[in-house]
Amino acid sequence: MSSDHPGPKTGLTYKDAGVDIDAGEALVKRIAPAARATRRRGADADLGGFGGLFDLKAAGFKDPILVAGTDGVGTKLKLAIDTRRFEGLGQDLVAMCVNDIVVQGAEPLFFLDYYATGKLEVESAAIVVEGIARACKESGCALIGGETAEMPGLYAKGDFDLAGFAVGAVERSAILPKTATMKAGDVLIGVSSSGVHSNGYSLVRKMVENSGLALDAAAPFAPGKSLGDALLTPTRLYVRSCLDAIRTGGIKGLAHITGGGITDNLPRCLPDGLDGEVYLDAIAVLPVFQWLAREAGIAEGEMLRTFNCGIGMVAVADEKNAGRVIDAFQEAGDKAVRIGKLVAGSGEAKVVYRGALKL
């Protein structure tokens, strides 16, 4: 006797919908050794739990204040995707987070990352996360967890996004900035950047598009490098040099120079009634910024509020301690020079520029 009922339908799987659980597990296995290499006191950096653990007591803190920061890489990602060069993105991500918390005087303790894509490419993702682990190790913080999200339909083929989360700690008595001790005459010390870092890339990409230059063409400002490689120079990690400079006892404040440049970021560590007087001719403007300003006709004021222009960190120090602070940065491998001083102002702190950038 025949039946009018059809046989059972073949069931859909998560993989049919575009999410490959096996690929996710393969990525975790691939990156586990890199994460373990970031072990430090307080964390063993094993992956796989629902949450990452950190033992503040084991890390040696007595009266700690936690400092947390989160950031991404921005549209620099598009350049990396277009050139298929992912090696430096992990450092960009970590730097944008840990550089923000070290300016509070905090030692970065642990880091978590979020990697979201339409279809997980294990090799590309592993290159990014292994870069994150290297940067964490260099910054002395443990990579204790993260999330890889595969979301077909939300991201175009080949696209992905990154976010990072860093947590550090500082003894209550050592929190920066120490605005109550700042006074007119205190020295501003500029610490060199490695390039554009991870801010202003929407403008950079627009300028490259208008120039007609291909990303694999020779970089006009960096002999021996392609334009894409030169623009993807990773953000500098300032944690070790800043912590060494802080240990001299001579630092009153630090400002990480990101989007907004010196113009918007330096006032964030200054008290009302004091302005930062910056001597622009003391700044060694990197060739990439000279090229951007020249080729795109970007005005000096716009450059100073969009890019770091060659200074990735600014420290505030007492005149008598400035030499020791500069030496600490230099001995840690970062070039540091005097770029100005604090002067009496009125109302909210601001930056007053003297001279002109060497564009």
Side-chain angles (χ1 to χ4, degrees), residues 249-325:
I251 284 188
K252 298 182 178 183
L254 287 164
H256 182 203
I257 308 306
T258 55
I262 295 176
T263 305
D264 288 350
N265 287 289
L266 178 56
R268 296 168 68 181
C269 76
L270 303 180
D272 291 349
L274 283 177
D275 294 338
E277 186 175 76
V278 174
Y279 310 134
L280 294 177
D281 55 2
I283 296 175
V285 180
L286 298 178
V288 61
F289 298 114
Q290 295 172 332
W291 177 72
L292 285 167
R294 182 176 64 251
E295 293 299 314
I298 305 172
E300 182 182 79
E302 185 71 11
M303 289 292 297
L304 286 164
R305 205 176 176 200
T306 304
F307 302 111
N308 65 65
C309 292
I311 298 295
M313 187 73 68
V314 176
V316 181
D318 191 280
E319 171 67 41
K320 67 179 181 181
N321 294 317
R324 285 193 295 133
V325 171

Side-chain angles (χ1 to χ4, degrees), residues 33-40 43 45 132-134 136-137 141-144:
R36 281 195 295 271
T38 69
R39 282 192 175 103
R40 56 152 293 153
I132 290 171
R134 286 193 300 273
C136 282
K137 188 173 183 179
C141 65
L143 177 58
I144 65 171

